[in-house]
Amino acid sequence: MHKNTDNKILGSKLDAVSKSLKKSIKNLDSYTHVRGESLYVDDVNIRQGTFHAVVFDSPKAHGKIKSIDYSKAEALQGVERIFTYKDVPGENEIGGIIPDEPLFAEHEVHFWGMPIALIVAESEFIARKARDLISIDIEELPVITTAKEAKAKGSFINAPRSFSLGDTEKAFADCDYIFEGETFSNGQEHLYIEAQGAYAEPLENGNIKITSSTQGPTAVQKTVAQVLGVAMHKIEVDVTRLGGGFGGKEDQATPWAVMAALATFHLNQSVKLILNRHDDLRMTGKRHPYESTYKIGLTKDLKILAYQSEFLQNSGAAADLSPAIAERTLFHATNSYYVPNVTTKVLSCKTNLPPNTAFRGFGGPQGMFVIESAIAKAAHEIGVSPRAIQEANLLDENDTFSYGQIAKKVEAKNTWHSAKQLFNIEAMEQEVSEFNKNNTAFKKGLSFMPITFGISFTNTPMNHARALVHIYLDGSIGVSTAAVEMGQGVNTKMMQIVADVFSVSIEHIKIETTNTTRVANTSPSAASSTADLNGKATLMACTALLERLKSVASQDLNVSENSITLNKEFVYVNGKKSELSWTSLISSAMLKRVALTENAHYATPEIHFDKTKEKGHPFAYHVYGTAITTATIDCTRGTYEFDAVKIVHDYGKSMSEGIDLGQVEGALIQGIGWMTMEEIAYNKDGRLLSNALSTYKVPDIFSVPKTVEVIPVETEGNDMAILKSKAVGEPPLMYGIGAYFALQNAIKAFNPNYDLKFHAPMTPEKVLMGLYKK
Ligand code: LUZ
Ligand code: MOS
């Protein structure tokens, strides 16, 4: 679907396209993936006698547990034991930010799908059969499913947060236009291809090894230790790779690993727990639905002078990562715009849904959707193109974000104007208006979507990583970091760094599994920061080893250290190849008893944030970009297609064109899915209705835009990014927001009386209602 950019369109601008993008390396995993040889949790060679586990979960969203009868299940042949909260030797508590989440329900249940017990049996089949034999009596309590209801009842996770800049109240008095409204964006199912799972095995002395499909090995280790009441060093967590995470395994891979470990702890036998798709959909949290209100004030020349919004986050039944996600919503509430007077507030509303969690963008997309809605509303009422308002307010160098950070190396205008020029916006608009003039049964719409996304964990103390690099005596290299490979290609990037520093071919390098005994106290692989943080640590470790090797070479060749470089597996002196090869150099270092192992620690410099003032400099840098989306709607059916999404994206100096383009395309489609088709539905009793892929529609190959064009903008990159290649994981998801507004503009072309609604996803049903609503 990616089309190489036509040289004619680019013309002389081609030179402006980043030259470094020529560098292209295949994703390391591509070979084993296509051969079906890549290893996941379910592929672990299980020990003889391994038990299999299934979770028994609540069949009601809220209530008091009156009684549970396990006797029939326990009597089933092949059932080993059923574990409940009574079997927890340490704390029955898994909450990461706030301790408000039991591993197993004790006397009350708070969401439909809340774990109550773990059935351990000889086979998964038997455990499932046993689950059907458990009877439970629950006295039902009132169920809250929406954030608004929770707010009305005063049901919150924690205290609200609020950011402000300037004097919003006063500024509204100076505005020529003021508009208010409300928006809704729904949740989103992660739908990682590999469901949640873990395999626990007993080692000697009560130690336990866990293979987990987690983005956060340390979170698993810490929580297992806490629940079992043992020290962290008794627990080893190992991760080879995940079949996708998208944030769904940042916190919510933990309970399953803990349960498997708990059973192993008691039985001294290996235990495997892998959720099937239905259990996973029902028991795990998703992207947070948000109900929000906005007030936007503009001057006659379309400058946004004041902006106010209140975000109601549907957090679900426990905090999970909700407070951090709420915070990121505030950080991105003004997207790519400079607004001098801003007041934003977020309330994490406690409901009886599964605890909602991290999902690519981490609350940022929800915040951006609201200001884009406010701009669309203002444009509609004033009678200008939304684009005119967007363009008049783009962020500039040295503008201040509402959280106090000063914008530097801003590419908002650059990507915007490059997109207009490179994609020939006049021709695109002409085509849309001609089409709309000549067609009644079909209409086209076009939208612009600029993005600005902050890179770093918003929680400053999480921004660190380590790398452990061994050079073995034959010259081969083993690299361990905290980075978890989940399909994003981070292992390939780590390998590139090592190959670059030592100038050796990738055949010499192995990226090890992510393991808490080799790299400890890690942050999860999240926040788009994994390659930056772990890459910087890897670079530091390799550079320290290189210095040592240069010293060895200078002794062997009797030349100064400064004259030495490594090039294609040979030592060069003053740029000239010597006889000393990489492998001979390593042998020599061994004979000289030089340490060939290095451990490095990287902590992002400069960042800080003061929560008491809600001001600081939380992000190492920002990623920018602009997408132009065109859509065609079928005005008889309400169905639609995306003709094209054309993007100018700020990759910095990409390390790998293929991998980064894959991230942009994947994120874009995931964003379009969230905005246009993926419809999470719970009934008012809190039961998930969209509980299978027959009722939860995700984008397939037919819903992908006919053209996706991504042009890298020439930027210097950023020193805080690894090798000046900017983080790419999350930012492009937000291009998908443009899909909503392209559809909305197409509806307006058909029905000029359309009363704008900001209620995502924009499903065909909603398009149809918009087309014919008077
Ligand atoms: N996870 C997290 C994240 O714990 N903190 C963050 O700031 C974040 N941002 C994006 C995605 N995951
Ligand atoms: Mo995340 S939303 O796990 O970066």
Side-chain angles (χ1 to χ4, degrees), residues 103-104 330 457 504 552 554 601 678 692 740:
L103 177 69
F104 292 122
L330 299 187
F457 288 93
V504 297
V552 171
S554 84
H601 172 87
E678 298 183 37
Y740 187 95

Coordinates of all heavy atoms in Angstrom, one line a residue, residues 103-104 330 457 504 552 554 601 678 692 740:
L103 N -5.7 -9.2 43.4 CA -5.4 -10.2 42.3 C -6.7 -11.0 42.1 O -7.1 -11.2 41.0 CB -4.3 -11.1 42.8 CG -3.9 -12.3 41.8 CD1 -3.3 -11.8 40.5 CD2 -3.0 -13.3 42.5
F104 N -7.2 -11.5 43.3 CA -8.5 -12.3 43.2 C -9.5 -11.5 44.1 O -9.2 -11.0 45.2 CB -8.3 -13.7 43.8 CG -7.4 -14.6 43.1 CD1 -6.3 -15.2 43.7 CD2 -7.7 -15.0 41.8 CE1 -5.5 -16.0 42.9 CE2 -6.9 -15.8 41.0 CZ -5.8 -16.4 41.6
L330 N -3.8 15.7 29.4 CA -3.6 17.1 29.6 C -2.4 17.6 28.8 O -2.4 18.7 28.3 CB -3.4 17.4 31.1 CG -4.6 17.0 32.0 CD1 -4.4 17.6 33.4 CD2 -5.9 17.6 31.5
F457 N 8.6 9.1 29.3 CA 7.6 8.7 30.2 C 7.2 10.0 30.9 O 8.1 10.8 31.3 CB 8.1 7.7 31.3 CG 8.2 6.3 30.7 CD1 9.5 5.9 30.2 CD2 7.2 5.4 30.7 CE1 9.6 4.6 29.8 CE2 7.3 4.1 30.3 CZ 8.6 3.7 29.8
V504 N 31.2 -4.3 13.0 CA 31.2 -5.8 12.7 C 29.9 -6.1 12.1 O 28.9 -5.4 12.2 CB 31.4 -6.6 14.0 CG1 32.7 -6.4 14.7 CG2 30.2 -6.4 15.0
V552 N 44.1 -1.7 23.6 CA 44.7 -3.0 23.2 C 45.4 -2.9 21.9 O 46.6 -3.2 21.7 CB 43.7 -4.1 23.2 CG1 44.3 -5.4 22.7 CG2 43.2 -4.4 24.6
S554 N 46.4 -0.3 20.3 CA 47.5 0.7 20.2 C 48.8 0.0 20.8 O 49.9 0.2 20.3 CB 47.2 2.0 21.0 OG 47.4 1.8 22.3
H601 N 24.3 2.4 32.1 CA 23.1 3.0 32.6 C 22.8 4.3 32.0 O 23.7 5.2 32.0 CB 23.1 3.1 34.1 CG 22.0 3.8 34.7 ND1 20.8 3.1 35.1 CD2 21.7 5.1 35.0 CE1 19.9 4.0 35.6 NE2 20.5 5.2 35.6
E678 N -14.0 0.6 15.2 CA -14.0 -0.3 16.4 C -14.9 0.2 17.5 O -14.7 1.3 18.0 CB -12.5 -0.4 16.9 CG -11.6 -0.9 15.8 CD -10.1 -1.1 16.3 OE1 -9.9 -1.4 17.5 OE2 -9.2 -0.8 15.5
A692 N -16.3 -10.7 20.7 CA -15.7 -11.6 19.7 C -15.4 -10.8 18.5 O -15.9 -9.7 18.3 CB -16.7 -12.7 19.4
Y740 N -11.7 10.7 11.0 CA -13.0 11.1 11.5 C -13.5 12.4 10.8 O -14.7 12.5 10.4 CB -12.9 11.4 13.0 CG -14.3 11.6 13.7 CD1 -15.0 10.6 14.3 CD2 -14.9 12.9 13.7 CE1 -16.2 10.8 14.8 CE2 -16.1 13.2 14.2 CZ -16.8 12.1 14.8 OH -18.0 12.4 15.4

